């Protein structure tokens, strides 16, 4: 249960709220969060029609703060402490403000996790500001690092960092408007300060003087995404009671049913947990679509694209035939943050990433989620899981295409990947070390044995590299693009559900036109 200090005091409960809680089975914090979350869609729609740049900044900041304050109360003011500290660092110490923002924002988030025991509180349905603080931490680090990058020549930066760097210090209004952004702290997704500024000012890819960049009517795609979120919410409410974390911790699961039944229950419990995040992200995406921030230009046929900040693709997660590609489809935007602000920053420009780079990124992702063993067990397991996926991929490159695409083999891979994902994700759901180990022990550690066996076979019997007739100029172009044999060198780093509606993954090769 969340503590009852300054973090949790806010608006006293009203009679209609208590009645709604008793009728719906939701806790007060869940009810308020849901109301604020749905209201953020309307706020996004209004933001698109505010006529002036300053007006859009003010509306976004004020509405965003109120939407956060309603469910989280005085805990919202904790956003001001690391935010003000980061802004002072940006004003006074430009060439090191990115590092200083890390040293301010990340420890403050860890303190919030410790004070609230956030993971355990979220399992009980008690939401606090810590979830929003997680999103805020991503933004504080990103905006400070981007401003620090603005003092560097573009040639010293990776292509993405050169595009997203900030040449000028944001004003206090611009800075806090970006941080609160019309209630987007409720569930994300993460987006860059550079993009947000261009959107508010209708510049760059939102330049209203260019008909191709003018924001079209978002009504139908916004409603479609909102309905998608509502369907996921209904599934979550129907499945979470009979198939929640308590089931995995029960004697029934661990002792009274056979192995095939346990594996099935692992899958359906994982699906129920993921529906919560599908709901949260779909509604958040709906808000961004209605605001126009999610507008991503037009395709070759002239059809508007609304996929700039798509955070998950349900079919590609649930029916995934490649473990590494899972990362490109689950919490994509936070994954991009991990990629560009952790993974690539740990890798020298002229070097290839190593497993140590992957492990450190996973560790940071785990700490970002909270200080529970289940988080860390998942991220440690997922690092091995994706190494196994890469080993399978290397073997497949030596097979004829008709074998790789053979329908029964593809179905087998989808089933295997679902088994491994839900096996690993069970630790993220139950959190406590003893419960995690008891669940894995009840299925004989089959997930770990499977992925470790694949890696061991790949080391003992490495696959032969396929022979390819690659022209020198094409090989040089691939090397310059950071690819090996046509495949991007950087491995994927996923992360599964968080106690609040946000969780990170490190997406593979996801640029805006691929989202």
């Amino acid at each position: 249960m969340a503590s009852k200090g300054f973090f949790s005091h806010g608006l006293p409960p009203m009679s209609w709220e208590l009645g709604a809680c008793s009728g719906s089975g939701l806790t007060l914090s869940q009810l308020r969060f849901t109301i604020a979350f749905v209201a953020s869609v309307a706020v996004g729609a209004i933001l698109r029609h505010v006529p002036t740049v300053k007006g859009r900044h003010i509306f976004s900041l004020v509405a965003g703060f109120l939407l956060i304050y309603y469910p989280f109360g005085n805990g919202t003011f904790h956003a001001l402490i690391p935010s003000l500290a980061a802004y002072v660092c940006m004003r006074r110490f430009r060439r090191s403000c990115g590092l200083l923002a890390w040293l301010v924002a990340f420890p403050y988030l860890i303190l919030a996790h410790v004070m609230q025991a956030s993971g355990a509180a979220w399992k009980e349905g008690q939401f606090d500001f810590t979830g929003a603080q997680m999103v805020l931490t991503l933004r504080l680090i990103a905006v400070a690092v981007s401003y620090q990058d603005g003092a560097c020549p573009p040639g010293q930066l990776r292509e993405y960092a050169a595009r997203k760097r900030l040449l000028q210090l944001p004003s206090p209004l611009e800075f806090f408007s970006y941080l609160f952004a019309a209630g987007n702290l409720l569930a994300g997704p993460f987006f860059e300060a550079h993009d947000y500024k261009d959107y508010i000012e209708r510049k760059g890819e939102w330049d209203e003087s260019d008909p191709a960049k003018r924001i079209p009517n978002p009504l139908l795609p916004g409603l479609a995404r909102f309905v998608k979120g509502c369907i996921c919410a209904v599934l979550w409410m129907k499945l979470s009671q009979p198939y929640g974390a308590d089931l995995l911790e029960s004697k029934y699961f661990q002792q009274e049913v056979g192995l095939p039944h346990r594996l099935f229950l692992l899958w359906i419990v994982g699906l129920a947990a993921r529906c919560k995040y599908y709901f949260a992200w779909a509604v958040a995406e709906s808000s961004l679509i209605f605001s126009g921030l999610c507008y991503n230009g037009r395709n070759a046929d002239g059809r508007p694209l609304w996929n700039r900040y798509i955070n998950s693709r349900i079919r590609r997660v649930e029916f995934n035939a490649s473990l590494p590609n899972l990362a490109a489809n689950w919490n994509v935007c936070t994954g991009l943050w991990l990629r560009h602000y952790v993974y690539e920053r740990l890798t020298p420009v002229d070097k290839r990433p190593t497993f140590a780079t992957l492990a450190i990124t996973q560790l940071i992702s785990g700490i970002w989620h909270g200080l529970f063993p289940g988080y860390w067990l998942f991220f440690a397991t997922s690092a091995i899981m994706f190494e196994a996926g890469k080993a399978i991929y290397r073997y497949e490159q030596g097979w004829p295409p008709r074998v790789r695409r053979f329908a029964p083999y593809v179905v087998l891979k989808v089933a295997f990947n679902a088994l491994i994902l839900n096996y690993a994700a069970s630790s993220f759901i139950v959190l406590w070390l003893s419960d995690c180990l008891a669940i894995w022990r009840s299925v004989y550690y089959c997930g770990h044995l499977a992925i470790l066996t694949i890696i061991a076979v790949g080391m003992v019997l490495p696959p032969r590299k396929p022979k390819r007739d690659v022209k020198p100029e094409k090989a040089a172009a691939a090397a310059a693009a950071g690819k090996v044999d046509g495949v991007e060198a950087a491995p994927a780093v996923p992360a599964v559900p968080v106690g609040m509606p946000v969780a990170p993954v490190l997406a593979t090769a996801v640029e805006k036109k691929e989202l």
Side-chain angles (χ1 to χ4, degrees), residues 347-367:
T347 307
V349 176
D350 57 342
K351 302 292 183 180
R352 292 192 62 186
T354 65
F355 182 76
T357 310
L358 174 64
I360 293 172
T361 305
Q362 290 288 66
L363 176 62
I364 290 174
S365 182
I367 295 174

Side-chain angles (χ1 to χ4, degrees), residues 82-83 85-91 93-105 136-152 164-170 175 178-179 190 192-194 337 341 345:
S83 299
Y87 192 72
V88 169
C89 292
M90 291 170 66
R91 288 186 65 92
F93 310 104
R94 179 170 189 177
R95 293 191 176 276
S96 57
C97 62
L99 174 61
L100 294 174
W102 268 100
L103 296 177
V104 169
L136 178 71
T137 299
L138 302 183
R139 293 191 183 167
L140 286 175
I141 292 173
V143 68
V145 171
S146 297
Y147 184 59
Q148 179 178 311
D149 287 344
C152 300
K164 303 302 180 183
R165 65 190 185 132
L166 297 175
L167 299 178
Q168 296 181 339
L169 178 70
F175 180 76
Y178 166 66
L179 294 184
F190 166 78
E192 294 283 356
H194 180 278
W337 183 92
Y341 292 97
R345 305 275 171 169

Side-chain angles (χ1 to χ4, degrees), residues 29-30 75 94 182 209 350 372 378 503:
S29 60
Q30 286 176 329
R94 179 170 189 177
S209 64
D350 57 342
F372 281 84
F378 169 76

